[in-house]
């Protein structure tokens, strides 16, 4: 919404506790995305929308379903060591016996304290401006029973018209992004992306053709329709 | 300055090109710190001030002086592989034959594209609001000759009084930080820090006692004084 109005948008949310602080093993911080959008002179905005953990639970569920190990460094166990068994990780995350590592990884060697710092920034911006809930208050349970929990979000919009004008901003921003994409590739890589570019490409493909749905999911959709007796034909049935 | 006034401070700067984009090998982005300060109800503010690369040149100079290798993953060579020989890295960084990896590391396995994304955010905020210089324009050289280069900075202050009041913000923020520090430590670790805490402890120690200066540096200081005939006695001479 901000970039469509020629503005810089900055937003984030706290979430169910998942990330362990640097030198800690307890799931304390949400995956806390710190999200920034810029208007550009291109067909799509710059849009960085990412968790401040290395990964989130959904990706580990994907590894588990594919029968793959989780790469070492994404998840820390109670013993302080990286965990890689995807099924075990999912169980231990639920039980509070494992936690996600912040961007930068476990410990301080590759600067995990920076990801931990940015996750903390998002936790504070999401909670402290509205005297809201934070950290373990977002566990979704009271006395072991499921309970509603109150996330906080924050939204910031900066009007580029108030500086050198929206056109000037769009142009400089676009040029930075084009120069990054045109820079020298690593051997074996044929493309450098900027944030939001892959998502835009996927959107261009799917906005007319729809989202590809695997056979197993197709069957679930059909079963659900039949269960509820809905008068609906799915595009994949045609 | 912002936190002293009860405000959130957000600032950053672009810098001489050092970081390679994800899937790239060319030094394109500055070490581009994204810096956030929060007022708290404690004796010191939350203060996250860190480069969006894993490390910066100064740390590699330190490794080189100590005769140590640079940990793999911090620096990418022109061949796309991590470099670890600290002396070689310093030479190649100067020659543009090596680049720093973004926070999250080389490639996308441990989400280096996030650090690359945040470095881009800082480059754009530092340049596009003031139609300023960016990327290779900050190389400090024109036609192979040293030339002045025009960095950009950005500064943002958010008045916590405009939300739930400064006292409420300080309290929630302080509680988040205290709970993080009090969370379960990894085996072998006895302390979890929050951003700005270590720097505050060092400041408390040094504000009266001064900065410890090694013998080699002491000799340089004395030689410099004598060279210029300055009427000065250093604290370490007493």
């Amino acid at each position: 919404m901000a970039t469509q109005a020629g503005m810089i948008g900055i937003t984030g949310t706290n979430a169910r506790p998942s990330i362990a602080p640097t030198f800690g093993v307890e799931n304390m911080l949400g995956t806390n995305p710190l999200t920034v959008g810029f208007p550009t002179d291109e067909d799509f905005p710059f849009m960085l929308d990412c968790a401040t953990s290395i990964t989130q639970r959904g990706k580990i569920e994907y590894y588990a379903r594919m029968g793959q190990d989780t790469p070492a460094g994404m998840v820390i166990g109670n013993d302080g060591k990286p965990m890689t068994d995807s099924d075990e990780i999912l169980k231990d995350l639920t039980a509070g016996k494992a936690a996600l590592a912040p961007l930068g990884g476990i410990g301080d060697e590759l600067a995990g304290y920076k990801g931990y710092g940015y996750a903390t920034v998002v936790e504070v911006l999401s909670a402290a401006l509205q005297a809201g809930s934070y950290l373990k208050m977002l566990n979704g349970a009271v006395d072991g029973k499921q309970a509603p929990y109150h996330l906080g979000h924050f939204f910031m919009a900066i009007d580029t018209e108030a500086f050198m004008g929206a056109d000037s901003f769009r142009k400089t921003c676009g040029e930075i992004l084009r120069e990054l994409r045109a820079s020298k590739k690593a051997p074996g890589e044929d493309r450098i992306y900027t944030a939001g570019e892959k998502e835009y490409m996927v959107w261009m493909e799917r906005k007319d053709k729809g989202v590809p749905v695997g056979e197993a999911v197709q069957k679930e959709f059909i079963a659900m329709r039949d269960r509820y007796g809905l008068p609906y034909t799915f595009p994949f049935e045609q």
Side-chain angles (χ1 to χ4, degrees), chain A:
Chain A
M1 280 173 66
T3 62
Q4 280 169 10
M7 298 191 184
I8 297 166
I10 304 179
T11 175
T13 180
N14 58 13
R16 203 179 275 256
S18 311
I19 301 179
T22 300
F23 304 142
V25 293
E26 194 175 345
N27 59 318
M28 295 297 289
L29 294 148
T31 46
N32 291 9
L34 179 58
T35 299
V36 183
F38 293 133
T40 71
D41 60 2
E42 304 191 311
D43 289 337
F44 58 99
F46 174 91
M47 196 64 74
L48 181 66
D49 175 6
C50 59
T52 45
S53 50
I54 298 176
T55 191
Q56 71 299 93
R57 190 181 168 99
K59 206 164 192 176
I60 297 162
E61 285 173 358
Y62 171 83
Y63 291 131
R65 242 178 280 142
M66 303 295 281
Q68 289 173 6
D69 276 351
T70 296
M74 290 185 177
V75 178
I76 184 169
N78 255 347
D79 60 358
K81 302 220 170 80
M83 295 179 68
T84 57
D85 181 322
S86 301
D87 291 318
E88 203 184 323
I89 288 171
L90 290 175
K91 254 188 301 171
D92 282 3
L93 281 176
T94 305
K97 286 162 55 191
L100 300 177
L103 179 60
I106 296 170
D108 60 355
E109 188 175 273
L110 295 179
Y113 52 87
K114 297 182 182 186
Y116 158 48
Y118 288 124
T120 307
V121 164
V122 173
E123 193 80 27
V124 171
L125 287 177
S126 302
L129 289 169
Q130 45 114 356
S133 299
Y134 49 84
L135 303 179
K136 294 296 176 105
M137 291 155 106
L138 303 178
N139 240 334
V142 173
D143 299 330
K145 277 190 201 153
Q146 271 209 328
Y149 57 104
H150 302 282
L151 301 177
H153 318 304
F154 63 93
F155 303 91
M156 215 183 293
I158 301 170
D159 189 356
T160 57
E161 266 313 334
F163 295 84
M164 303 296 290
D167 287 344
S168 167
F169 184 94
R170 286 177 186 279
K171 182 166 170 284
T172 303
C173 185
E175 276 171 9
I176 290 173
L177 303 179
R178 286 185 287 278
E179 287 189 23
L180 287 170
R181 288 184 210 126
S183 69
K184 197 172 171 220
K185 316 296 176 280
E189 302 292 348
D190 57 3
R191 190 158 177 178
I192 288 168
Y193 297 89
T194 54
E197 190 183 0
K198 277 189 183 174
E199 291 77 5
Y200 176 74
M201 287 162 48
V202 170
W203 166 247
M204 290 304 281
E205 170 80 15
R206 294 187 179 172
K207 73 185 171 62
D208 300 320
K209 294 195 190 166
V211 177
V213 174
E215 244 179 78
V217 179
Q218 290 181 11
K219 277 186 198 159
E220 275 184 52
F221 280 4
I222 290 171
M224 212 186 303
R225 175 193 60 196
D226 294 348
R227 196 175 331 134
Y228 295 107
L230 298 173
Y232 192 76
T233 308
F234 292 106
F236 54 74
E237 291 183 300
Q238 284 157 358

